[in-house]
Amino acid sequence: MLQSMFKKVFGSRNERLVKQYLQKVKAINALEPAMEKLSDAELAGKTAEFKTRLENGEALDKLLPEAFAVVREASRRVLGMRHFDVQMVGGMVLHDGKIAEMRTGEGKTLMATLAAYLNALTGKGVHVVTVNDYLASRDAEWMGRLYGFLGLTTGVNLSQMPHDAKQAAYAADITYGTNNEYGFDYLRDNMVYQMGEKVQRPLAFGIIDEVDSILIDEARTPLIISGQSEENTALYQQVNLVPPRLARQKDEESEGDYSVDEKSRQVLLSEAGHEKIEEILTEMGLLQPGGSLYDAANIMLMHHVYAALRAHALFFKDQHYVVQNGEVIIVDEFTGRLMSGRRWSEGLHQAVEAKEGVAIQKENQTLASITFQNFFRMYEKLSGMTGTADTEAFEFQSIYGLETVVVPTHRPMIRKDEHDQVFRTARERDQAVINEVRACYERGQPVLVGTTSIEANEKLSAELKTAGLPHNVLNAKQHEREAEVIAQAGMSGGITIATNMAGRGTDIVLGGSIQKEVDAIRNDEALSDADKDARLAALKVDWQVRHDAVLAAGGLHIIGTERHESRRVDNQLRGRSGRQGDPGSSRFFLSLEDPLLRIFASDRVAAIMNRLKMPEGEAIEHPWVTRAIENAQRKVEQRNFDIRKQLLEYDDVSNDQRKVIYEQRNELLASADIGDTIRAMRDDVLNETINLHIAPGSMDEQWDVPGLEKTLAAQFALHLPLQQWLDEDKTLNEEGLRKKTMEAADAAYQEKEALVGIEGLRQFERGVMLQSLDTHWREHLSALDHLRQGIHLRGYAQKQPKQEYKREAFELFSAMLTAIKAEVTQITTTVQIRAPEDVQAVELHEEPSHIEYQHAGYDEAQDFAEAATARVTPADAYPKVGRNDPCPCGSGKKYKQCHGKLS
């Protein structure tokens, strides 16, 4: 009560904000006479003047009144359209990083030019985001004339555009494009191998058209780029012939080509083994005569050899895996359960497939992924505009920090919204819709029928054909054609059936749009100016007659054949009528068989109908019924909000990790010298290796010096006589030995640097680092997917699934960073370089093939979100392996850092 009293005295926050903005509009209007006196050149010159003032430290907010006045005057001259005062208010709302709710037909496209122009003066770029390519192209071309007049450049960013054209579009002052394309470009930019290949600049200011559709409806699902890695499957089959020709060492002293370390379950090659493998590969034509396995060009070959050796020496059929229906399926070593769908990483699974003679599958993996929530929150400043945002104001505020401001209409809204009519069956409802359409058609009133699905569209279309009523059908598939059709939906007696989204972004003009004919006359060079004026005048007189006839018939009538689960989408449909103070009406026809009513209200309403003994075809119509349906919609909206929030909470975990990886990647691309990073990694990895064999602070008798010598030689190509050093110098302690080992590693690396030159080696290091980072990141994304699928079961152990997910995802991330360090160190230390040409011969990154861009299906994301809260019968889902025990797969890693991260 107190709150409502305060509201009466001081007005709501929305009213107070609008009042403040209207004060600024007075200042803008006061500048209008001065702007009208300027010549075209003087008006266009204002842009350079504003930029200079900005450089001198003046704030954008100070420039706002003048800049808005300039845009209004330029629009009047170039487009023949003058911004209304309410559009000025909307422009200020956008500039302040808020959402402007403006009714359909109030001129949001033109309004956006105000904030876009003002913010483009900074030179950081402005992104205008639309829902489809047609609207992006149309608005860029239409509003581009205004920006061009004022000396700013306009770009349009479409899917399938050439790389150079994309870079040019992003370099423009104002860029129009779709939400999907901006998101995919961001992901693609974080997959490039040269800084010059990037297309996007830092994300500065975004204006989102149809902000509710993009930030709410489409935000339930992530953007995903997936692809098959270009692995040479034939190479796995050829290398598979190598291990059977090698002899295993029985112990450390005996002869043989390789040894198996049972404790850490690793395979190590001996000197003789290296030579023998090189002979075999040369014989097979995979290695150049006289070439070495450790040559820079043979890095990938070495990877395949180790994978094949591990497949033969450590993984056995019916123990670690089974072969079923031509597929290798992993067996959980402790529970004996088959782990269908899981694959070993780092080429091991393919090596096992080659060993068993089954088809080698190329893995289709997620290369990059991001949700719209996390993408759009990266903009320095974000704003949006739509006809329907107020019902979702809480979600915009809590997830994006965007306040919603309802901008008043230019003329009072006089559309009449009738109460819903509820029928017992869908058949009765459909008949009532046909009768209503026929009545409108007979009195010459245009009608737009909104449906919730393409199936319902086609069903209604068939019934209208049977009834002999001519009509157009729109399914939101052909955006350009549908925009033309929807523009003519206001013709007298016109009948249009459309799904809710069809033709959005295009106004329905009562009496039909004549813009196409006007443009044709203006562009006809055969006509003189006098002829053009005469024809345009005749065209406008003819249109006015049609317009008046439609007004007399009651304006556009909207029919909804079903309530959507969101009130916002129903309001969008209603909003197609009554633009700019036009008359209009709307009514929803429902049946008890509709999903919303069936779930929430059918029993109660059906009981009322039975009690009143209502005859067939009779509808129930009452404000209470309409209110009950809206309450049901509120419940569904709340549930959908919870689903989106849950998805976001899980994605926030991977988003923090994504930021770290992408930041590291950008630093790698930008820095000329990463030698210090490589050195630090090498020191870390060698220290950890030494710690495994010589524990810090341990007694001499506990040191495993032969084991350390063997590991350094096998993993880092460092053949160091550690035992000899200790024998020769009895004072050499653990710290001294560690120091000598590091110095020897640095000296060996400096020899390579001297051979190939600093620049060549730095380029090689960068390539190795990027390749390792990308490969491990993709495997990490896959691991997070697997972790997410079963995490809800932790609830049965009285653990909070979200907290468990965060903890394990962090452990996986730490393990990934450790694995990257180990791999980069191993490759850079073992690679043999004899000449600078060796480095240039290296192909460090494999380009993925069959790349797919997915904005994953709504149901898929919904299934996950529901699974996260579902209560399912507990299953013995996890193998009984200690998290710090060695992984049973034999990789030598801890279980939590290997296959434990997939469970």
Side-chain angles (χ1 to χ4, degrees):
M1 186 179 165
L2 200 63
Q3 195 175 2
S4 62
M5 195 170 77
F6 275 121
K7 202 176 274 187
K8 275 178 189 167
V9 177
F10 301 109
S12 66
R13 173 165 171 77
N14 195 85
E15 287 165 354
R16 293 196 303 275
L17 280 172
V18 170
K19 206 175 277 183
Q20 286 170 22
Y21 288 134
L22 285 170
Q23 290 301 316
K24 287 185 187 174
V25 172
K26 286 179 186 172
I28 297 165
N29 289 344
L31 295 168
E32 195 166 10
M35 293 298 167
E36 285 172 352
K37 289 173 187 168
L38 297 176
S39 68
D40 285 1
E42 286 171 329
L43 192 63
K46 282 284 183 183
T47 301
E49 180 198 314
F50 293 149
K51 285 183 175 179
T52 307
R53 285 164 62 182
L54 272 177
E55 283 165 16
N56 294 337
E58 199 166 334
L60 272 183
D61 289 349
K62 278 275 180 70
L63 291 177
L64 187 145
E66 282 181 78
F68 277 27
V70 165
V71 175
R72 174 190 260 175
E73 181 57 27
S75 172
R76 193 180 63 76
R77 295 184 193 186
V78 178
L79 304 174
M81 295 187 285
R82 178 187 173 278
H83 294 76
F84 299 133
D85 286 0
V86 290
Q87 286 173 306
M88 291 288 174
V89 170
M92 286 182 246
V93 171
L94 294 182
H95 170 66
D96 285 350
K98 295 179 168 68
I99 289 172
E101 175 178 303
M102 291 181 78
R103 295 293 173 94
T104 303
E106 290 291 307
K108 290 187 283 292
T109 307
L110 185 64
M111 172 191 81
T113 57
L114 297 161
Y117 172 78
L118 179 60
N119 286 272
L121 295 171
T122 61
K124 293 180 182 177
V126 173
H127 291 171
V128 183
V129 187
T130 64
V131 286
N132 60 53
D133 281 348
Y134 162 70
L135 288 177
S137 306
R138 185 202 72 177
D139 294 353
E141 187 186 341
W142 189 14
M143 298 300 140
R145 286 155 52 199
L146 168 59
Y147 300 130
F149 175 83
L150 290 170
L152 296 180
T153 53
T154 311
V156 60
N157 173 32
L158 306 173
S159 52
Q160 311 299 319
M161 266 175 85
H163 185 265
D164 295 346
K166 257 190 191 300
Q167 280 186 325
Y170 278 112
D173 295 311
I174 296 155
T175 309
Y176 283 79
T178 65
N179 49 331
N180 284 342
E181 207 53 29
Y182 285 123
F184 283 134
D185 284 337
Y186 170 74
L187 293 176
R188 281 188 288 252
D189 272 0
N190 285 290
M191 292 164 67
V192 300
Y193 280 83
Q194 298 291 334
M195 207 66 177
E197 291 172 19
K198 289 193 164 203
V199 294
Q200 275 185 352
R201 294 192 278 167
L203 305 171
F205 179 49
I207 300 175
I208 305 177
D209 193 8
E210 308 293 5
V211 67
D212 54 330
S213 176
I214 289 171
L215 292 190
I216 291 180
D217 298 336
E218 296 196 32
R220 293 167 175 174
T221 55
L223 290 168
I224 297 169
I225 300 180
S226 62
Q228 292 179 348
S229 82
E230 271 294 344
E231 285 173 325
N232 186 350
T233 51
L235 190 58
Y236 281 107
Q237 289 161 336
Q238 288 172 292
V239 173
N240 183 55
L241 304 173
V242 175
R245 296 173 63 176
L246 303 177
R248 177 175 170 172
Q249 288 179 322
K250 287 189 172 59
D251 52 61
E252 283 186 18
E253 306 304 319
S254 64
E255 290 186 3
D257 302 315
Y258 67 92
S259 61
V260 178
D261 186 341
E262 298 285 354
K263 191 167 136 194
S264 63
R265 298 200 67 184
Q266 285 185 337
V267 178
L268 301 171
L269 283 173
S270 64
E271 280 294 324
H274 276 122
E275 288 169 18
K276 193 165 180 181
I277 287 173
E278 283 168 3
E279 282 172 26
I280 296 168
L281 293 175
T282 306
E283 184 188 308
M284 293 166 75
L286 294 175
L287 200 63
Q288 294 290 326
S292 163
L293 261 181
Y294 289 112
D295 283 350
N298 298 325
I299 288 171
M300 295 313 290
L301 191 58
M302 190 67 203
H303 171 77
H304 281 75
V305 167
Y306 267 111
L309 266 173
R310 288 177 64 209
H312 280 264
L314 291 168
F315 292 84
F316 303 105
K317 188 176 175 180
D318 296 332
Q319 182 186 343
H320 300 100
Y321 63 89
V322 295
V323 178
Q324 274 184 5
N325 304 323
E327 277 185 56
V328 170
I329 299 172
I330 301 173
V331 173
D332 188 304
E333 200 174 346
F334 291 83
T335 65
R337 291 168 67 240
L338 298 183
M339 300 166 76
S340 296
R342 303 283 170 89
R343 288 174 70 82
W344 288 305
S345 57
E346 297 172 354
L348 178 61
H349 209 97
Q350 288 89 331
V352 173
E353 284 170 335
K355 170 185 156 188
E356 294 300 333
V358 300
I360 297 172
Q361 295 176 19
K362 281 188 179 178
E363 212 164 339
N364 200 40
Q365 57 183 174
T366 298
L367 307 177
S369 164
I370 195 168
T371 57
F372 278 133
Q373 284 105 323
N374 279 320
F375 173 66
F376 283 113
R377 290 194 304 188
M378 286 192 292
Y379 278 85
E380 265 179 57
K381 183 162 79 173
L382 189 65
S383 62
M385 51 191 186
T386 180
T388 47
D390 204 34
T391 56
E392 313 290 347
F394 176 72
E395 181 164 352
F396 285 128
Q397 183 67 59
S398 59
I399 288 183
Y400 301 98
L402 292 171
E403 185 178 1
T404 302
V405 178
V406 180
V407 180
T409 54
H410 176 54
R411 293 197 179 103
M413 166 71 72
I414 59 169
R415 185 186 68 236
K416 193 176 178 190
D417 296 330
E418 310 276 4
H419 292 307
D420 298 358
Q421 287 195 347
V422 183
F423 294 84
R424 204 189 302 264
T425 64
R427 185 176 53 78
E428 292 171 55
R429 187 266 321 273
D430 291 347
Q431 190 54 52
V433 170
I434 302 288
N435 294 341
E436 182 95 350
V437 170
R438 184 182 282 111
C440 291
Y441 179 67
E442 285 168 357
R443 64 174 174 263
Q445 184 177 15
V447 61
L448 175 67
V449 186
T451 62
T452 53
S453 68
I454 292 172
E455 185 188 1
N457 241 11
E458 288 165 352
K459 183 169 172 269
L460 185 60
S461 173
E463 288 174 1
L464 285 175
K465 271 182 194 159
T466 309
L469 294 167
H471 60 279
N472 280 311
V473 182
L474 306 181
N475 287 334
K477 291 285 179 214
Q478 300 159 291
H479 300 297
E480 189 166 356
R481 189 191 75 80
E482 296 189 359
E484 289 172 15
V485 173
I486 208 86
Q488 304 305 332
M491 295 287 275
S492 178
I495 302 171
T496 311
I497 310 174
T499 52
N500 288 316
M501 290 298 120
R504 274 189 89 179
T506 306
D507 284 341
I508 300 176
V509 181
L510 299 186
S513 171
I514 55 169
Q515 192 59 46
K516 218 172 178 181
E517 293 93 320
V518 169
D519 290 344
I521 292 169
R522 281 186 179 148
N523 298 329
D524 191 344
E525 292 173 8
L527 296 174
S528 66
D529 288 348
D531 286 343
K532 284 180 183 178
D533 292 343
R535 289 199 182 188
L536 287 172
L539 191 64
K540 281 174 184 169
V541 168
D542 180 45
W543 173 80
Q544 193 63 50
V545 172
R546 297 202 308 263
H547 181 68
D548 293 343
V550 173
L551 290 180
L556 179 66
H557 183 51
I558 301 288
I559 295 176
T561 59
E562 196 178 316
R563 280 283 197 153
H564 194 271
E565 60 184 29
S566 164
R567 289 168 296 158
R568 183 170 43 81
V569 180
D570 291 341
N571 291 340
Q572 281 165 11
L573 180 60
R574 279 202 173 110
R576 307 307 294 264
S577 172
R579 62 181 288 280
Q580 291 289 336
D582 284 343
S585 53
S586 71
R587 188 192 287 279
F588 279 83
F589 291 80
L590 316 175
S591 85
L592 296 181
E593 294 172 7
D594 293 347
L596 196 74
L597 281 170
R598 195 177 67 241
I599 296 165
F600 288 99
S602 66
D603 294 345
R604 231 170 345 180
V605 181
I608 294 168
M609 286 181 153
N610 289 331
R611 209 170 298 134
L612 296 173
K613 295 188 168 54
M614 294 180 77
E616 188 175 324
E618 192 74 30
I620 184 170
E621 179 183 338
H622 197 279
W624 288 1
V625 174
T626 305
R627 204 173 306 136
I629 291 163
E630 285 181 357
N631 285 337
Q633 286 175 309
R634 277 195 189 91
K635 287 178 193 169
V636 179
E637 283 166 12
Q638 184 58 43
R639 178 176 165 276
N640 287 338
F641 170 58
D642 290 342
I643 287 173
R644 287 190 293 270
K645 197 172 174 204
Q646 181 119 6
L647 277 172
L648 185 62
E649 284 169 352
Y650 278 89
D651 191 63
D652 279 345
V653 176
S654 56
N655 190 53
D656 292 338
Q657 297 176 358
R658 185 189 300 113
K659 282 180 185 169
V660 171
I661 291 293
Y662 284 177
E663 206 173 298
Q664 212 165 0
R665 216 179 174 283
N666 287 331
E667 281 174 20
L668 279 174
L669 290 173
S671 57
D673 186 346
I674 62 162
D676 291 343
T677 309
I678 297 289
R679 193 175 303 109
M681 282 184 171
R682 187 168 63 245
D683 290 352
D684 278 357
V685 172
L686 287 173
N687 267 317
E688 284 168 20
T689 306
I690 293 168
N691 289 346
L692 285 173
H693 297 272
I694 301 175
S698 60
M699 305 292 290
D700 298 11
E701 296 80 22
Q702 296 171 302
W703 293 2
D704 178 14
V705 178
L708 180 57
E709 282 183 350
K710 196 172 177 182
T711 303
L712 289 173
Q715 289 187 10
F716 308 109
L718 287 172
H719 301 278
L720 305 178
L722 304 182
Q723 192 60 57
Q724 190 181 323
W725 292 349
L726 289 166
D727 292 342
E728 288 170 359
D729 184 357
K730 297 295 180 187
T731 62
L732 193 63
N733 60 7
E734 174 207 323
E735 198 52 49
L737 188 64
R738 197 181 287 268
K739 191 179 174 187
K740 282 191 85 168
T741 305
M742 296 296 186
E743 285 169 357
D746 287 344
Y749 203 72
Q750 277 160 12
E751 282 175 27
K752 287 177 190 170
E753 206 170 85
L755 265 174
V756 77
I758 291 176
E759 198 176 315
L761 195 63
R762 293 295 167 265
Q763 196 65 30
F764 173 73
E765 287 168 350
R766 183 184 288 106
V768 169
M769 186 80 180
L770 284 171
Q771 168 66 8
S772 184
L773 198 66
D774 288 351
T775 306
H776 283 87
W777 174 242
R778 288 167 196 171
E779 286 173 1
H780 180 69
L781 286 176
S782 173
L784 287 180
D785 281 345
H786 287 304
L787 176 65
R788 207 183 287 192
Q789 283 164 18
I791 201 73
H792 61 281
L793 295 169
R794 303 287 174 93
Y796 293 105
Q798 303 303 310
K799 290 179 179 176
Q800 170 59 261
K802 261 176 245 168
Q803 293 307 318
E804 286 293 293
Y805 181 75
K806 284 178 184 174
R807 185 179 58 77
E808 293 217 13
F810 177 72
E811 285 176 8
L812 286 177
F813 189 65
S814 304
M816 178 191 73
L817 295 179
T818 304
I820 290 170
K821 275 200 275 189
E823 185 175 88
V824 170
T825 302
Q826 193 166 1
I827 290 174
T828 51
T829 53
T830 56
V831 69
Q832 286 184 359
I833 300 171
R834 299 187 184 86
E837 297 77 47
D838 288 354
V839 167
Q840 288 155 15
V842 185
E843 283 184 37
L844 280 168
H845 64 275
E846 298 166 341
E847 292 293 343
S849 65
H850 300 92
I851 288 185
E852 293 173 15
Y853 297 100
Q854 306 159 28
H855 182 200
Y858 163 54
D859 292 337
E860 185 181 323
Q862 196 177 34
D863 287 348
F864 154 61
E866 283 170 356
T869 51
R871 308 295 285 170
V872 189
T873 310
D876 187 11
Y878 302 98
K880 303 295 185 290
V881 188
R883 291 192 48 70
N884 291 307
D885 294 346
C887 184
C889 77
S891 64
K893 299 176 185 174
K894 289 181 179 177
Y895 178 68
K896 70 180 180 185
Q897 293 168 356
C898 191
H899 283 85
K901 71 182 181 183
L902 296 179
S903 59

